[in-house]
Amino acid sequence: MEDDEHGHDIHNCATYEDYLDGHITETDKFYLEDEDLARQLIELGYRGSGETLKREEFDARKRAEREKHVQKAAAPKQLASAGKDLSSFPFLQALANREELVRNGKLTTILFIRDRNSKGQEVSGYIDFAARLKQEDFEPYFDGKKKLLPRPSDLSYYNWESQTSTSNSSANFQVITDNETGLLFKNKRDRKVINVDP
């Protein structure tokens, strides 16, 4: 966030007048009884310590801020699977095929994994692929340096040795655990219920 010399946040000011109003105190309003006069005094530098931005400087900073946001939005996110040969890893190839659509919000994917963790304990769980893509860098998984395992923070997690069980809703799915048919996931966008009963 960009502040002026007084520490006033320029980001939250839509107009130059809003910026000037941020410098006006209750005492100024009481004695001057005229907002326009108070703004003129601040703009001319008769109030406060340090320099008050001139209209041109304010406009230039706001323009630079807008351009910075446009550049951030326009910069395409490099896919973690880009340029990787995953032909001998069908699971990773399937994730790579979905990665771009999931990152763009056009597809939601629930992964079920049952494997052994680093302690040799059998763990299983359902993972919201989109949530995981946002939370961590997937490049080590696609490089084969790291194994994708369920975590207690995923949609559901079960440690078969310690009998630990957790379930958490994500930005995409609501977990329904109190249904007679078993564990269900409700997509928050299209409201469809997914029955994952193996």
Side-chain angles (χ1 to χ4, degrees), residues 13 21 45 100 122 132 166 171 177 185:
C13 301
D21 289 347
E100 186 174 9
E122 190 174 355
R132 274 290 193 95
T166 63
T177 56
F185 299 106

Side-chain angles (χ1 to χ4, degrees), residues 4-6 8 13 15-29 32 34-55 57-58:
D4 70 356
E5 289 79 2
H6 300 290
H8 290 91
C13 301
T15 65
Y16 184 62
E17 285 70 26
D18 292 341
Y19 166 74
L20 293 176
D21 289 347
H23 289 76
I24 299 172
T25 65
E26 290 300 318
T27 308
D28 295 335
K29 290 178 185 176
L32 295 173
D34 185 0
E35 270 189 21
D36 291 332
L37 178 60
R39 285 181 188 149
Q40 288 174 356
L41 290 172
I42 290 167
E43 188 173 4
L44 293 170
Y46 289 116
R47 264 264 313 103
S49 58
E51 289 291 312
T52 304
L53 295 177
K54 300 290 179 223
R55 185 177 295 273
E57 293 168 327
F58 176 84

Side-chain angles (χ1 to χ4, degrees), residues 112-126 149-152 156-166 183 196-198:
F112 174 74
I113 297 178
R114 185 171 182 170
D115 205 343
R116 297 201 175 271
N117 64 15
S118 59
K119 297 175 185 171
Q121 300 170 326
E122 190 174 355
V123 294
S124 63
Y126 292 95
L149 289 171
R151 297 179 178 162
S156 78
Y157 170 84
Y158 186 68
N159 184 315
W160 292 83
E161 190 172 304
S162 67
Q163 305 285 304
T164 307
S165 176
T166 63
L183 185 64
V196 292
D197 186 12

Side-chain angles (χ1 to χ4, degrees), residues 107-156:
L107 178 71
T108 54
T109 301
I110 297 175
L111 309 172
F112 174 74
I113 297 178
R114 185 171 182 170
D115 205 343
R116 297 201 175 271
N117 64 15
S118 59
K119 297 175 185 171
Q121 300 170 326
E122 190 174 355
V123 294
S124 63
Y126 292 95
I127 300 169
D128 179 357
F129 187 38
R132 274 290 193 95
L133 280 171
K134 285 181 184 170
Q135 291 169 358
E136 64 181 301
D137 180 21
F138 253 69
E139 212 152 327
Y141 296 117
F142 288 118
D143 287 335
K145 296 176 183 170
K146 205 172 171 185
K147 188 161 69 167
L148 183 61
L149 289 171
R151 297 179 178 162
S153 59
D154 286 320
L155 290 173
S156 78

